[in-house]
Amino acid sequence: MAVSILSHEVSDLCLGKPALRSLSASATVGDALSALKRSGDLFLSVWSCDRLHHCNSPRPDKVDFEECKCVGKVCLVDVICFLSGEENLKNPGKALQEPVSVLLNSKVPGLVRHLEPHANLLEAIDAILGGALNLVIPLHNPFTRKKLISKSAANSTLHNNREYCWLAQEDIIRYLLNSIGLFSPTPNLTIESLNIIDSESFFTVHYDDPASSALPLISQSLIKQTSVAIIDTDGKLIGEISPFTLNFCDATVAAAIATLSAGELMAYIDFRDPPEDLLRLVKERLDERNLGPALDLIEEESGISSLSSYSSFSSSSDEEFGMGRSGGIAGNSAGVRSTAQTVVCYPWSSLMAVMIQGLSHRVSCTWVIEEDGSLVGVVTFAGMIKVLRERLKAKA
């Protein structure tokens, strides 16, 4: 029975999934920024076809049809990291006219992979463990081909006369959790005994380090589905700079990254409206560096939208299953989580506790700390998927 779950088709995971909104590979960074704001989506897919009507025509050319593929995805964090560069801060208008491909070039190939709906769960898991962050799956659409073709060629959800959806690590974990009893006794074992704590390759910066020094780490953490930990001189976890959190910020936070310390940046993005003293500090430092265009960009905004702050860690234990020490769940009613409410667990937390905690907080990584707050490492969804895959293989 444990092995049979792997034969389930990936289409089972797509039920209720929204169709992907997309951008053409010929779009600009500014187009991506406008589309993200307009759609409200956290990510947009980027497709190789330059003209949507070619891949949605009644009789598409065979070459065009085959070449219309999803080649990557972009989010606000990609735009923020790009605009944070010194040259781009000097001329943000020019930077926004760059092709959207510049947001993809820094990423390793293979982060997005196409799978057919009839592919089984094992194929999806192996693709994720092979480095894919997102799987692109065609949706079973109730419309007839004629109705699909009659839709506007500008419809951003259609490619090759089909609609597609994302599958990510979180979707795999959620699906496996529904059959967690099949993996017994593994879910009840500690993450330490399962050897899934990454204690070597996680990202950290010190509180007083320039936030700009974390910029390449933020980009890498977006790819690895982790965050950048902020630690003090004793190696204790203070908070984090999370791509998830930055994705709810305004693009003008790029100026804050270029001028503040890591600790100041954490405070800056932790509020719906940045504190006046930090906002003033950003403006002063931009002025000192003769970054007038970036200063104009800041002054055009009355404030940078972000998140409400919280004041304590949320920790997991075998009994709490993702609840904080006070029994509270991180985040607000909209599901937005604050950097100050950093999600943590302990080496003795069970795998199931950390799985539920990650899904509850919508985070793909959980920091592992000792009781005194010392940072031990991180546990990721990818690590959890790998150990569950190994347990199924052992039962085969």
Side-chain angles (χ1 to χ4, degrees), residues 115-305:
L115 280 184
E116 288 299 318
H118 55 73
N120 61 44
L121 183 59
L122 179 59
E123 291 178 74
I125 289 177
D126 287 344
I128 291 289
L129 295 180
L133 291 184
N134 286 88
L135 305 178
V136 181
I137 315 294
L139 288 171
H140 288 302
N141 201 299
F143 295 109
T144 65
R145 178 179 173 83
K146 183 176 180 180
K147 288 182 178 180
L148 281 173
I149 293 171
S150 69
K151 296 176 78 171
S152 169
N155 189 310
S156 62
T157 65
L158 279 177
H159 290 281
N160 307 324
N161 292 316
R162 307 170 85 180
E163 289 185 320
Y164 297 79
C165 72
W166 291 127
L167 282 186
Q169 295 175 4
E170 178 182 344
D171 299 304
I172 302 292
I173 285 289
R174 195 179 300 278
Y175 195 77
L176 293 177
L177 184 61
N178 289 332
S179 303
I180 198 65
L182 299 177
F183 298 88
S184 182
T186 301
N188 296 321
L189 300 179
T190 68
I191 55 175
E192 184 175 44
S193 66
L194 291 171
N195 197 31
I196 61 172
I197 302 174
D198 182 355
S199 57
E200 296 180 356
S201 58
F202 58 92
F203 307 123
T204 64
V205 292
H206 285 88
Y207 186 87
D208 293 324
D209 289 343
S212 57
S213 67
L215 198 55
L217 303 182
I218 294 172
S219 296
Q220 291 179 56
S221 67
L222 181 62
I223 294 173
K224 291 194 172 185
Q225 299 288 279
T226 58
S227 297
V228 181
I230 298 178
I231 58 176
D232 62 16
T233 54
D234 296 322
K236 294 183 179 179
L237 182 65
I238 298 174
E240 66 178 3
I241 301 174
S242 166
F244 180 86
T245 302
L246 284 173
N247 224 17
F248 287 91
C249 293
D250 190 281
T252 53
V253 77
I257 294 176
T259 55
L260 298 178
S261 70
E264 290 168 339
L265 177 64
M266 184 176 65
Y268 190 90
I269 65 177
D270 225 19
F271 292 86
R272 190 168 299 278
D273 293 312
E276 278 298 321
D277 57 337
L278 285 179
L279 191 57
R280 185 167 53 252
L281 185 60
V282 170
K283 292 179 179 180
E284 289 175 354
R285 291 177 178 174
L286 287 174
D287 189 47
E288 290 171 359
R289 293 168 58 180
N290 295 317
L291 294 175
L295 181 59
D296 292 340
L297 189 64
I298 284 285
E299 291 178 341
E300 287 174 3
E301 301 289 336
S302 59
I304 297 180
S305 299

Side-chain angles (χ1 to χ4, degrees), residues 296-340:
D296 292 340
L297 189 64
I298 284 285
E299 291 178 341
E300 287 174 3
E301 301 289 336
S302 59
I304 297 180
S305 299
S306 186
L307 311 172
S308 301
S309 63
Y310 294 82
S311 60
S312 63
F313 286 119
S314 167
S315 62
S316 73
S317 69
D318 291 0
E319 294 76 28
E320 291 168 337
F321 289 108
M323 305 297 287
R325 296 174 197 230
S326 61
I329 291 289
N332 60 20
S333 59
V336 179
R337 184 180 53 81
S338 164
T339 56

